[in-house]
Amino acid sequence: FIATMVDDLFILCNSDEERQQLKNWLYERLELVEFGPIRSYFRIRFDQSLADGTLTLDVEKHINDLFHKHPILKKLGPSNTPAPTTPPVVDESSRMSPLGKYVMDKYRSLVGGLIFPSITARPDITTAVSVVSRSVSEPTRVCVARLI
């Protein structure tokens, strides 16, 4: 397989022999610069094992950067997926927690940080991220509760 992105060309093959044949064919027709096996691209890390015939993609660095940018998120534990389908019940008269205030203030940044992994490597969170992204212009306490 050949994948392209603007001026980048990726060759994905099951064997070294197939890859070399394709590279030779391309070198005969194009001016190419080879950078070796892909390790990361667009903040997606690639791990290929020819022995196993597997290609693994992950966005761990992006997630770690999100937690580094918003360290208060480390207070949150893991959540189950899929997310609940009904909105959380929120007492509008109660005081908002420091975490809730932070999430309200940084809502756009947090949701934006979740969009990338949801479309690249975490399809299990896509629906939940879609729901919280509908309110980025005016998040409410319910939106914050959904995000937390």
Side-chain angles (χ1 to χ4, degrees), residues 58-141:
D58 77 57
V59 290
E60 182 179 2
K61 181 174 178 0
H62 179 80
I63 300 297
N64 289 340
D65 290 349
L66 186 64
F67 277 87
H68 180 72
K69 183 177 180 180
H70 305 285
I72 197 167
L73 295 179
K74 293 177 184 174
K75 293 182 178 184
L76 297 174
S79 294
N80 294 327
T81 54
T85 56
T86 57
V89 176
V90 175
D91 181 2
E92 295 289 340
S93 65
S94 67
R95 291 181 49 152
M96 192 178 278
S97 71
L99 176 61
K101 288 178 185 176
Y102 181 87
V103 169
M104 179 71 85
D105 185 49
K106 304 292 184 183
Y107 194 82
R108 287 182 189 188
S109 176
L110 292 165
V111 171
L114 292 172
I115 290 172
F116 178 77
S118 77
I119 62 174
T120 56
R122 293 293 310 272
D124 58 320
I125 66 170
T126 301
T127 300
V129 172
S130 171
V131 169
V132 296
S133 68
R134 295 174 194 163
S135 306
V136 292
S137 61
E138 293 183 45
T140 64
R141 293 179 106 184

Side-chain angles (χ1 to χ4, degrees), residues 35-69:
F35 294 105
I38 186 169
R39 297 286 175 239
S40 69
Y41 192 72
F42 278 136
R43 301 184 69 157
I44 303 170
R45 186 173 56 190
F46 291 73
D47 184 23
Q48 181 180 11
S49 171
L50 289 176
D52 298 340
T54 60
L55 176 64
T56 305
L57 311 175
D58 77 57
V59 290
E60 182 179 2
K61 181 174 178 0
H62 179 80
I63 300 297
N64 289 340
D65 290 349
L66 186 64
F67 277 87
H68 180 72
K69 183 177 180 180

Side-chain angles (χ1 to χ4, degrees), residues 9-27:
L9 183 76
F10 306 102
I11 299 172
L12 307 168
C13 291
N14 291 330
S15 75
D16 288 331
E17 183 181 326
E18 288 177 4
R19 183 179 15 260
Q20 193 58 50
Q21 287 176 354
L22 181 54
K23 283 171 39 178
N24 291 342
W25 186 86
L26 289 169
Y27 274 110

